[in-house]
């Protein structure tokens, strides 16, 4: 399998190269050259298979030529062996046709673990027999940082520099990052906002002087391997609810469009998905794009679902590329226009293609709180604010007579205050992270300037060989 850039001018790569690269050199995102498909018989044969065996079958076409099924089985077994539930991503029934797919049983209590535990092992395997050394730089509003740090702590050949906005992540989120004391993990609290931290990271990638000295890489969802790992749970859940014989709908609390794009990939591979519901909070750029063709940046409003408080959804470009006939130069032009004017219109082909599978909904604070209470009172389930946004949309949007699965993206104990405010129930941290508040923390606080941050990193990172 080869991977090509959405903007048409970066070289094509194999699975190993695409995993280590992150962003394409032409500014685009990598996608498979063609979508592999699983036959109806192959999907039917997933019935009863474990999560790890499902992962092997779903991922093998994407890693062909680089990792065989035996290698995938070993990696997936190791990654998902760290999850606290034997089913890895268990399903829960809420009423006649509403279901939750719990994706938060990994070490840091959010769905990001599903992909990052696997990605951490891929990095280690791909770098183990090479002199290369990766310098991961990232900005996090909470969940990505903790999941990446847990997955990469103590691994050879990788240093992680994770920037978070000082004082603007929850205590649980900060401690999940700063209590990891492995020498290859470097937490930097930036005196500024998440956008300031993100801008610093972008500037590092775009400054040849700095980027040239280190082999920089990314762990956010622009990394193809992350999306690939997320395709697995769509198959795992749908097969349990009757696929391929019966279609299933999914509702996905969405920010950067990575998780729901993995659902799109599952559909392209042949999984009978009736609808993909893109659920946003009041930061609704994707709802405006999918319902009215208007993809334009507004201002970010902070909400109790911070992992969905975004302006630009990077992975949306992958969908637009695929729906627009996979025309790299046209995509490059459309994105250049967007970067210049902070707005773009979807083409007719993009709008019609999206409408065939996607629908969207915008969920405000009241609807979110009401849905948390509904889940508590009617199904005895305490859910987190992100999941509540997905479930509110799932209950409101007409998906036809099919089971609707909401992706439960975070454990409620990660967002205790918001959950308690809406439901009166204060969720407790699961035993595996219960001593989080007794552990020692380590991080530095730096001003939000390029020189301060790059100076700190340059003193500690390993230069290119
Ligand atoms: C990251 C995250 C999301 C958004 O996922 P995307 O792939 O960015 O759309 C939703 N909920 C939680 C809890 C998250 O951490």
């Amino acid at each position: 399998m080869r991977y090509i850039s959405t903007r048409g001018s970066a070289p094509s790569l194999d699975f190993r190269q695409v995993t280590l690269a992150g962003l394409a050199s032409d500014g685009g995102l990598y996608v498979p050259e063609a979508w592999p498909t699983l036959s109806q018989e192959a999907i039917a044969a997933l019935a009863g298979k474990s999560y790890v065996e499902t992962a092997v079958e779903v991922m093998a076409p994407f890693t062909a030529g680089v990792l065989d099924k035996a290698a995938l089985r070993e990696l997936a077994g190791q990654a998902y062996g760290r999850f606290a539930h034997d089913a890895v991503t268990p399903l829960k029934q809420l009423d006649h046709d509403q279901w939750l797919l719990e994706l938060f049983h990994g070490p840091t209590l959010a769905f990001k673990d599903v992909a990052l535990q696997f990605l951490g092992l891929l990095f280690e395997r791909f770098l183990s027999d090479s002199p290369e050394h990766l310098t991961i730089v990232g900005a996090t509003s909470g969940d990505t940082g903790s999941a990446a740090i847990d997955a990469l702590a103590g691994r050879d050949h990788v240093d992680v520099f994770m920037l978070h906005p000082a004082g603007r992540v929850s205590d649980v989120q900060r401690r999940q990052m700063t209590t990891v004391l492995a020498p290859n993990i470097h937490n930097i609290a930036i005196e500024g906002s998440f956008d300031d931290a993100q801008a610093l990271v972008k500037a590092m990638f775009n400054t040849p002087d700095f980027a040239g000295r280190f082999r920089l890489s990314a762990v956010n969802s622009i990394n193809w391997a992350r999306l690939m790992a997320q395709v697995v749970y769509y198959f795992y859940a749908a097969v349990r609810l009757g696929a391929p014989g019966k279609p299933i709908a999914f509702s996905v609390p969405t920010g950067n469009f990575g998780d729901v794009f993995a659902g799109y990939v599952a559909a392209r591979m042949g999984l009978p998905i009736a609808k993909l519901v893109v659920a946003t909070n009041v930061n609704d750029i994707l709802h405006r794009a999918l319902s009215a063709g208007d993809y334009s940046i507004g201002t970010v409003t902070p909400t109790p679902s911070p992992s969905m408080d975004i302006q630009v959804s990077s992975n949306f470009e992958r969908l637009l590329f695929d729906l627009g006939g996979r025309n790299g130069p046209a995509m490059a032009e459309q994105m250049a226009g967007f970067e210049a004017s902070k707005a773009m219109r979807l083409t007719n082909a993009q709008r019609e293609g999206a409408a065939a599978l996607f629908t969207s909904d915008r969920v405000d604070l009241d609807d979110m709180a009401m849905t948390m209470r509904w889940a508590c009172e009617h199904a005895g389930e305490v859910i987190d604010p992100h999941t509540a946004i997905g479930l509110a949309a799932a209950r409101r949007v007409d998906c036809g007579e099919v089971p609707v699965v909401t992706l439960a993206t975070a454990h409620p104990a990660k967002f205790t205050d918001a959950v308690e405010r809406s439901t009166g129930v204060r969720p407790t941290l699961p035993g595996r992270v219960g001593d989080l508040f007794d552990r020692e923390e380590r991080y530095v606080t730096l001003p939000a300037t390029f020189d301060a941050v790059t100076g700190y990193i340059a003193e500690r990172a390993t230069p290119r060989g």
Side-chain angles (χ1 to χ4, degrees):
M1 172 69 74
R2 303 288 302 175
Y3 292 85
I4 57 170
S5 165
T6 51
R7 300 199 192 172
S9 52
S12 80
L13 302 180
D14 69 16
F15 180 70
R16 177 184 184 276
Q17 293 165 324
V18 84
T19 300
L20 297 177
L23 203 67
S25 59
D26 57 7
L29 302 174
Y30 277 106
V31 291
E33 185 175 52
W35 297 115
T37 54
L38 294 186
S39 67
Q40 298 299 292
E41 298 76 60
I43 297 172
L46 297 175
K49 280 209 181 2
S50 68
Y51 190 89
V52 168
E53 286 304 320
T54 306
V56 170
E57 297 303 323
V58 171
M59 296 197 285
F62 295 108
T63 66
V66 173
L67 294 175
D68 61 15
K69 286 189 178 180
L72 283 173
R73 188 169 293 118
E74 186 190 320
L75 292 166
Q78 207 179 329
Y80 301 119
R82 291 200 62 204
F83 279 57
H85 197 294
D86 279 348
V88 182
T89 61
L91 272 169
K92 279 216 176 123
Q93 188 161 13
L94 296 178
D95 69 8
H96 178 65
D97 49 22
Q98 298 289 339
W99 299 73
L100 286 180
L101 181 63
E102 293 184 344
L103 303 177
F104 52 70
H105 292 280
T108 72
L109 312 180
F111 87 95
K112 307 269 191 316
D113 286 324
V114 178
L116 282 164
Q117 286 293 322
F118 189 76
L119 185 65
L121 296 173
L122 284 178
F123 280 157
E124 186 169 72
R125 183 179 181 104
F126 289 155
L127 293 168
S128 66
D129 51 358
S130 97
E132 290 173 283
H133 197 104
L134 280 194
T135 300
I136 307 280
V137 290
T140 184
S141 55
D143 294 335
T144 297
S146 52
I149 285 170
D150 186 277
L152 295 169
R155 299 206 183 280
D156 292 338
H157 301 276
V158 185
D159 280 305
V160 180
F161 294 86
M162 192 56 68
L163 281 56
H164 71 265
R168 301 197 201 182
V169 298
S170 79
D171 288 347
V172 172
Q173 288 177 319
R174 188 192 68 252
R175 285 183 159 271
Q176 281 182 323
M177 297 191 277
T178 59
T179 60
V180 178
L181 305 179
N184 69 327
I185 301 298
H186 308 271
N187 277 292
I188 304 174
I190 293 294
E191 292 171 333
S193 67
F194 170 70
D195 289 334
D196 295 332
Q198 175 112 303
L200 286 166
V201 170
K202 280 203 179 130
M204 286 181 231
F205 277 93
N206 293 331
T207 305
D209 220 25
F210 184 77
R213 280 162 66 200
F214 306 100
R215 178 155 186 176
L216 298 186
S217 187
V219 287
N220 56 10
S221 55
I222 60 171
N223 190 304
W224 166 259
R226 266 186 69 174
L227 301 188
M228 176 190 76
Q230 291 170 212
V231 178
V232 175
Y233 46 71
Y234 286 91
F235 277 91
Y236 184 74
V239 164
R240 260 155 195 76
L241 295 176
K246 286 192 210 144
I248 315 292
F250 288 91
S251 178
V252 188
T254 297
N256 216 3
F257 206 75
D259 207 3
V260 74
F261 187 76
Y264 174 78
V265 175
R268 297 302 307 249
M269 291 177 76
L271 190 66
I273 295 183
K275 270 286 167 233
L276 286 171
V277 182
V278 174
T280 75
N281 63 24
V282 296
N283 297 294
D284 62 351
I285 180 169
L286 286 167
H287 176 56
R288 285 184 281 118
L290 291 166
S291 58
D294 164 33
Y295 190 75
S296 61
I297 297 184
T299 50
V300 171
T301 307
T303 74
S305 46
S307 301
M308 298 160 67
D309 294 346
I310 53 104
Q311 303 232 24
V312 180
S313 293
S314 316
N315 284 293
F316 201 48
E317 179 172 342
R318 286 183 157 118
L319 180 71
L320 297 180
F321 173 72
D322 209 44
L323 296 175
R326 298 192 143 227
N327 182 336
M331 195 69 232
E333 202 182 306
Q334 194 177 13
M335 291 309 294
F338 173 69
E339 277 152 25
S341 65
K342 307 291 173 216
M344 67 178 163
R345 301 287 312 169
L346 270 53
T347 65
N348 284 343
Q350 288 167 337
R351 283 192 70 173
E352 284 159 22
L357 184 60
F358 292 91
T359 179
S360 63
D361 197 11
R362 170 192 194 272
V363 178
D364 66 18
L365 286 182
D366 286 344
D367 295 334
M368 178 204 77
M370 222 161 57
T371 305
M372 281 162 100
R373 281 196 294 280
W374 179 85
C376 225
E377 286 160 15
H378 292 264
E381 288 297 324
V382 180
I383 59 174
D384 102 290
H386 303 79
T387 306
I389 285 169
L391 182 59
R395 296 184 64 223
R396 215 148 60 183
V397 167
D398 179 13
C399 292
E401 300 284 297
V402 302
V404 186
V405 177
T406 296
L407 303 196
T409 51
H411 192 290
K414 219 165 172 174
F415 300 95
T416 14
D417 295 339
V419 173
E420 187 175 20
R421 265 199 305 278
S422 298
T423 63
V425 178
R426 191 164 180 86
T428 48
L429 281 171
R432 65 189 186 282
V433 290
D435 69 340
L436 193 61
F437 283 84
D438 303 325
R439 294 184 212 152
E440 180 193 343
E441 286 191 83
R442 192 175 67 210
Y443 61 101
V444 294
T445 304
L446 296 176
T449 66
F450 186 76
D451 289 349
V453 177
T454 55
Y456 182 84
I457 293 174
E459 272 174 30
R460 289 161 181 85
T462 306
R464 265 174 206 274

